[in-house]
Amino acid sequence: MKLEQGQKLLFIGDSITDCERAKPEGEGLFGALGKGYVSLVDAMLQAVYPELGIRVVNKGIGGNTVRDLKARWQEDVINQEPDWLAVMIGINDVWRQFDVPNIKEWHVYMDEYEHTLRELTSAVKPRVKQLVLMTPFYLESNEQDKMRQKMNEYGLVVKRIAEEQGALFIDTQAAFNKVLKELYSATLAWDRVHPTQAGHMVLARAFLNAVGFDWQRS
Amino acid sequence: MKLEQGQKLLFIGDSITDCERAKPEGEGLFGALGKGYVSLVDAMLQAVYPELGIRVVNKGIGGNTVRDLKARWQEDVINQEPDWLAVMIGINDVWRQFDVPNIKEWHVYMDEYEHTLRELTSAVKPRVKQLVLMTPFYLESNEQDKMRQKMNEYGLVVKRIAEEQGALFIDTQAAFNKVLKELYSATLAWDRVHPTQAGHMVLARAFLNAVGFDWQRS
Amino acid sequence: MKLEQGQKLLFIGDSITDCERAKPEGEGLFGALGKGYVSLVDAMLQAVYPELGIRVVNKGIGGNTVRDLKARWQEDVINQEPDWLAVMIGINDVWRQFDVPNIKEWHVYMDEYEHTLRELTSAVKPRVKQLVLMTPFYLESNEQDKMRQKMNEYGLVVKRIAEEQGALFIDTQAAFNKVLKELYSATLAWDRVHPTQAGHMVLARAFLNAVGFDWQRS
Amino acid sequence: MKLEQGQKLLFIGDSITDCERAKPEGEGLFGALGKGYVSLVDAMLQAVYPELGIRVVNKGIGGNTVRDLKARWQEDVINQEPDWLAVMIGINDVWRQFDVPNIKEWHVYMDEYEHTLRELTSAVKPRVKQLVLMTPFYLESNEQDKMRQKMNEYGLVVKRIAEEQGALFIDTQAAFNKVLKELYSATLAWDRVHPTQAGHMVLARAFLNAVGFDWQRS
Amino acid sequence: MKLEQGQKLLFIGDSITDCERAKPEGEGLFGALGKGYVSLVDAMLQAVYPELGIRVVNKGIGGNTVRDLKARWQEDVINQEPDWLAVMIGINDVWRQFDVPNIKEWHVYMDEYEHTLRELTSAVKPRVKQLVLMTPFYLESNEQDKMRQKMNEYGLVVKRIAEEQGALFIDTQAAFNKVLKELYSATLAWDRVHPTQAGHMVLARAFLNAVGFDWQRS
Amino acid sequence: MKLEQGQKLLFIGDSITDCERAKPEGEGLFGALGKGYVSLVDAMLQAVYPELGIRVVNKGIGGNTVRDLKARWQEDVINQEPDWLAVMIGINDVWRQFDVPNIKEWHVYMDEYEHTLRELTSAVKPRVKQLVLMTPFYLESNEQDKMRQKMNEYGLVVKRIAEEQGALFIDTQAAFNKVLKELYSATLAWDRVHPTQAGHMVLARAFLNAVGFDWQRS
Amino acid sequence: MKLEQGQKLLFIGDSITDCERAKPEGEGLFGALGKGYVSLVDAMLQAVYPELGIRVVNKGIGGNTVRDLKARWQEDVINQEPDWLAVMIGINDVWRQFDVPNIKEWHVYMDEYEHTLRELTSAVKPRVKQLVLMTPFYLESNEQDKMRQKMNEYGLVVKRIAEEQGALFIDTQAAFNKVLKELYSATLAWDRVHPTQAGHMVLARAFLNAVGFDWQRS
Amino acid sequence: MKLEQGQKLLFIGDSITDCERAKPEGEGLFGALGKGYVSLVDAMLQAVYPELGIRVVNKGIGGNTVRDLKARWQEDVINQEPDWLAVMIGINDVWRQFDVPNIKEWHVYMDEYEHTLRELTSAVKPRVKQLVLMTPFYLESNEQDKMRQKMNEYGLVVKRIAEEQGALFIDTQAAFNKVLKELYSATLAWDRVHPTQAGHMVLARAFLNAVGFDWQRS
């Protein structure tokens, strides 16, 4: 188990991360962590490793792209002084190219995505104990689908930067693909993006597996 | 133009037809026809053929399958005594097989779909001046997609019954396919089923073209 | 068809244009274009010319007069850099003279209307590819009605300025008059101003006819 | 002053009478009489003739036609045992012919209107001390307007029946016409039917004048 | 009739005047004048003298004392440039002494009331064509009641200042006393302060009688 | 202390008793006893005599007269099988005679009040261990006030019946009169009927004093 | 893994099970399973064993005791024909004895609890493939606490009946006790009963461990 | 009785004090004092000592710790110029250590608690006639409970400072302990912190006993 006693674990991202978390502070009582994978990770940590006292913080904001993360990186990441930082961004960067194709300034193309994500992670790397980078995903099993292909390309950027930065890398698309072999995408997400609780469990498991969580621990 | 002076045109179907229409009577003032293709058809008829005084009625109900139509056929179709009857059903019959695969009794499989639709249309045929059958559709351009394939099969059933009954046949999937060549499906429908107003316009045009509507008429 | 690949088409006006559009940005998903003729124009463009990728923007605000347009012209028109600009204003300029006759400062009389509209259109003319001017209208078939007469006079101002500026001119009153021959005004608008969807379709058709839209295009 | 100590005065009609009255009992405290002319009549009676203790009851229901009155005449009129009964009905009987021309069964044509009103008033005449019949009205000054003409015809029916029954007759259209000479109809009613408080005051005055109310009484 | 063509008549006061008027502008359509005596005065003026075009403005604010009027006198009176100004204030000045006796700083005692009212009326006198001063009132018929006695004293101050300023003086308490001889105070006001519509009609009549309104005018 | 271990104490009455209690069962958690004197009595009993486990039930219903109590006596009193029964009724019986003087059938005059209260208390007397009768009250210090005088007469009826039945008698008017010597009635009740929490405390104290509650008990 | 392909797993219980599930059918899309341990179990099953197609149904209802389960056993259990049935009941049976000690009829004492639970499980045993009995729990670490002791006794009843019936037995109290060694009870439940998501995860894990769920399965 | 004619008594604290009081001013009509012990104290003072005219002010704010009181001490205490000041703070200072153990900066540990409370009381002591310090409390009868023990320690700090400052000291925990001998804590508070009205009555009595309130006073 890589998480240690008393560490602070901060998640940042878009609506998948946000999931109705409390604003402005995404931590504390009464569902402040939202209803998604962040809350599931926290619940698992408390249920299985209660003695570690891991502090989980959710800084996701619905609709965000990497461009939005840049605008709030100082306030919502650096100033929070997390020990662990997990970033999952890029879905909206791609989605806007497909659902509002005519509004070009809402699109974040590959170049901007890559250099911004590199800039942000480079800046924060020396300040955290561990950086975790999670790919964006698209709940479509057809690999020829144009948006799925584009999302894969953004995921490769995440992988490349994770390697550069020595970050933990989590391939969320791969985690979903296993399930998509059995379940049609509409079972996991109404719009192929916002998962049901089963989909969030896939994300939580992918994260916990990556940090050495021991499920059988009694 | 096949619609004649003073005729009553009734649409029945699922949420695509319903679109927040007034209940229980889907006609009259204040948006009683809902916000979908039914309302667009009515608006076009009034704007271009105001002298015809076509009476449009909307009897769509969200979530309906052909099994639900059967339960309310007497009340919502026969008793209404329409001159024209347009039926678009089948999306939920198929969709439930894909988004809640474990709840079998919510699925309406092909056999039941076909014999029920045949039974309903046979019963009403002698009582109306014109029957119109519209296929269900799925806003997915990938023809290998399983749900798209299944929807196509249901569409073929509609086509077959239309031929049997001498009904006007409208292939809504074909109408959408033209647009899907240019626009990614997410532009037309968040969930590949419930269209934006552009998608409803595709449906309205397909209907109006089939009834001999003259767009250029001054 | 005069609209070309990738152009931006901006509508500005009063509540007829606004029609519950999203604020402050009147474009994008989820009904951001409102429920009126702007949305119908957009739907028709996407349904019939999907390959053109026309970007439609709605900047209508309920209750606006030409005086209000002046106050936000820089922000809501010039700064948006549209290729096409369509303006329909004047209903409230006239209406307030009839429904709150005692509050003089809410009235915009003919002189102010004319010189303001001329000033605004002159300023924007060199910056757009095409300017479209639409008359205000009043859904009253009685030509002796005082408010109808006054509205006609404002419409003539629009026509005159359109000619001066070489703008496309759309006589919305004339478009409605054809329908009013068949339908009593209460069928088209509860208050003779805010149209039903049929009325908005009349406006949308008038606009599309003016820009060379080909309805029969397959 | 024709109203006497302790009498019960009941008004029945449509939305003009209703005006948000309490349901099911339209009398008592807390605005139970609604916000229209009935409440103004009551307020004037209490303010100027407090010693008479006139009991005012409002049984108007929005959207009613004379056909609806027939269905509730026993319960809402006969069973209430009023001393005075005032009836104002007919606006919706006419209006539906103009705003939903295609839905014929919502129209109440002249014949049905006349024989129903005669039947209802004949039945109640022997049971009340005084019957008052008020014409329907339309706030349109153009006498050539089709709906205005139709409303006038219904008003003549009311006049004829009032004479037959020896009822007090109140020509509300005539009362409004005086004001319409000075004010455009939009000042008095957004939709030419539902008046502002000024319009309700016109109705209240017409009623009070007809019953011998002494305005100057100190 | 003392009010003349095109004049602006502004009322200022507390909750009796306010009565749910629109904020910040207390004039215009849709019940902007509230539901109290101001709206009744306006309705009577429009119904009986439509040709005068009197513009009525309501600047009452619930809970106000004369101290509050002072704070907004420049903005809500002077800047409005009314021709006629009617002031009814003092109920809360007195009431707070009786319902929250322990919170002394909420009380406005006689001295402050008198000198503030004199200061305000002196300042505005030269700027208006006619000043109207209305007494505060208390709907209690027992003349020995302490709050009734105190209210009478404040009413005498209003009378004195009206004489000094040559203002029209309206004794609202006297107007109510006539009705209170016949009706118990609870019939007119739940809390002896906020009147039913009958009570507001007493106020409206008192005002209209004072300005020479001719009720019988045909 | 007359209340004994495990007894059930039921209060019945009008809005003073009701005070937003839970419906239909007026007992249990989450403020089910309402916000008035019943809740204060319960709180005092639990705070000072927690070992007694007295079960308090609230069956007050706003607007009730003794006529309403009769209609629900079997269900809400007899069937509940209380050990103690406290009744406070009569305020609305009197109030309606003063606030809606014209609606005679809403008034409960002295004769009906007396014989109904006698009938109800006689019927329940043998079934309870102790009956408590509380007078209605009116928070008006002027003894010449007509409604206060009438309320006193109803209070005398309660006293007479209490003596006949051997019931505990509580003169709530007398309890309030002491406070009214110091505080103006508006301090205790906005409408002279519904008390502030201070007024409810007066009622609770009067009840607790009558049952031998020892305030100083440590 | 004991759950097999296509089986139906039904949970019944009180608010811990309910957790805002959809009514009346606790299955399907859009959070129909609620926000508690039932939803977590379903999410885990879908995420890790998607090919099994386990159908999870939630029939919990807040506030229920075993007495309430009896009343709906036929409808909500027998008629549903589940393959697996999991029952967790008893918290309210005990809690009411402590939070409303005076309302005896709301308490379900041990005897009734035991014979009712035995009766219900006996009746359903032959109709299901596997019965699971989960103890009630109380999130209080002090073993001398009276309510905790009582809850333990009810838990022993569950254990005894599980043995009699050959049911899978889950000691939820034991599962929580491990966590309570590290975390104060207020961290897991505001009221020591309704858990945070971490507490629901403890329940879900206890259930999944009992059915042979393989967490590490890839 | 230590409170004297016309004195102002201000309470400050956390949610127990706040209890839905009006903001920003916690005094006046319409439940401005909230629904807790402050309102009960006020009600008792008015009911039993109406002639004293004690002015009660509530400045509690939910969630506050002593650190929050420090931030608003000048505005909410010093500037209010109370004669009596009652402070009850510390529950949240302790609670956060137990319900959100991982968020250290929300905890107020003993040292900070003690020196801040000393600083605040020292500053205000010379400005008030009487200072009252009430301990925080926890409604748990088990004296070995960790949070109960911690709360006791904070209570001892309050006692020590009360002695230093010559303040009236009220041991609220001791007052509750008497009741907790008879009633399980869940009867008094759902979450062992926010009391039912019975619990607030315990607090009110403890306060009133400390100030020499004579309950038997007639």
Side-chain angles (χ1 to χ4, degrees), chain B residues 29-30 35 39-40 43-44 46-48 50-51 179 182-183 190 197-198 201-202 205 215-218, chain C residues 29-30 35 39-40 43-44 46-48 50-51 178-179 182-183 190 197-198 201-202 205 215-217:
Chain B
L29 301 163
F30 305 119
K35 302 173 174 172
S39 175
L40 293 174
M44 271 294 186
Q46 281 195 61
V48 182
E51 78 286 4
V179 182
E182 304 292 339
L183 298 176
W190 198 244
Q197 193 156 30
M201 193 64 91
V202 170
R205 276 187 92 227
W215 299 87
Q216 309 297 55
R217 186 185 201 237
S218 65
Chain C
L29 301 163
F30 305 117
K35 303 174 173 172
S39 175
L40 293 173
M44 273 294 187
Q46 281 195 59
V48 182
E51 79 284 5
K178 276 194 213 164
V179 182
E182 303 292 339
L183 298 176
W190 198 245
Q197 193 157 31
M201 193 64 90
V202 171
R205 275 187 93 227
W215 299 86
Q216 310 297 59
R217 185 184 202 239

Side-chain angles (χ1 to χ4, degrees), chain G residues 1-198:
Chain G
M1 175 62 167
K2 301 175 186 170
L3 282 155
E4 292 167 19
Q5 168 75 33
Q7 289 187 321
K8 181 177 186 175
L9 163 61
L10 187 149
F11 289 88
I12 195 162
D14 50 32
S15 60
I16 312 302
T17 304
D18 183 334
C19 246
E20 305 179 40
R21 71 165 175 100
K23 305 270 160 55
E25 300 310 320
E27 63 178 328
L29 301 163
F30 305 118
L33 290 174
K35 302 174 175 171
Y37 74 95
V38 178
S39 175
L40 293 174
V41 165
D42 175 73
M44 272 294 187
L45 289 172
Q46 281 195 60
V48 182
Y49 294 86
E51 79 284 5
L52 286 188
I54 303 300
R55 174 173 175 185
V56 177
V57 178
N58 183 347
K59 285 288 181 182
I61 291 186
N64 268 206
T65 61
V66 78
R67 198 186 288 163
D68 299 303
L69 291 199
K70 183 174 176 179
R72 59 189 183 92
W73 199 251
Q74 180 67 39
E75 172 61 22
D76 282 358
V77 177
I78 308 290
N79 293 358
Q80 305 298 320
E81 301 183 358
D83 299 296
W84 284 63
L85 172 67
V87 184
M88 180 167 68
I89 199 70
I91 293 180
N92 294 305
D93 306 62
V94 172
W95 205 1
R96 289 300 89 72
Q97 301 174 43
F98 289 86
D99 66 1
V100 286
N102 301 336
I103 309 184
K104 311 295 188 198
E105 67 266 35
W106 292 8
H107 306 169
V108 178
Y109 299 112
M110 184 91 74
D111 273 4
E112 179 181 355
Y113 179 76
E114 178 159 2
H115 77 73
T116 307
L117 188 57
R118 181 173 289 115
E119 175 190 340
L120 298 182
T121 52
S122 300
V124 81
K125 186 66 206 313
R127 299 163 175 271
V128 297
K129 299 219 174 59
Q130 182 63 53
L131 180 64
V132 185
L133 294 185
M134 304 167 76
T135 66
F137 60 84
Y138 189 49
L139 297 177
E140 167 61 63
S141 58
N142 169 24
E143 302 202 358
Q144 267 59 54
D145 181 275
K146 287 183 197 165
M147 187 166 150
R148 167 73 194 277
Q149 288 181 326
K150 180 72 77 185
M151 202 68 80
N152 283 348
E153 295 171 27
Y154 279 60
L156 288 174
V157 167
V158 175
K159 190 176 186 190
R160 197 179 316 141
I161 292 175
E163 286 165 359
E164 292 169 18
Q165 305 285 355
L168 266 183
F169 171 70
I170 298 176
D171 189 339
T172 66
Q173 184 73 52
F176 277 123
N177 286 348
K178 276 193 214 165
V179 182
L180 285 170
K181 274 188 217 149
E182 303 293 339
L183 298 177
Y184 186 72
S185 62
T187 314
L188 281 175
W190 198 244
D191 56 5
R192 284 170 167 70
V193 170
H194 294 97
T196 58
Q197 194 157 27

Side-chain angles (χ1 to χ4, degrees), chain A residues 39 197 205 215-217, chain G residues 39 197 205 215-217:
Chain A
S39 175
Q197 194 157 29
R205 274 188 93 226
W215 300 86
Q216 309 298 58
R217 186 184 201 238
Chain G
S39 175
Q197 194 157 27
R205 276 187 92 227
W215 300 87
Q216 309 298 58
R217 187 184 200 236

Side-chain angles (χ1 to χ4, degrees), chain E residues 86-142:
Chain E
V87 184
M88 180 168 68
I89 200 70
I91 293 180
N92 293 306
D93 306 62
V94 172
W95 205 2
R96 289 300 89 75
Q97 300 174 43
F98 288 86
D99 66 3
V100 285
N102 302 337
I103 310 183
K104 310 296 189 198
E105 67 266 34
W106 291 9
H107 306 169
V108 178
Y109 299 111
M110 184 89 74
D111 273 5
E112 178 181 356
Y113 179 76
E114 179 158 1
H115 77 73
T116 307
L117 188 57
R118 182 173 288 115
E119 175 190 340
L120 298 182
T121 52
S122 300
V124 81
K125 186 66 206 313
R127 298 164 175 270
V128 297
K129 299 221 173 56
Q130 181 63 54
L131 181 64
V132 185
L133 294 184
M134 305 168 75
T135 66
F137 60 84
Y138 189 50
L139 295 178
E140 167 61 63
S141 59
N142 170 24

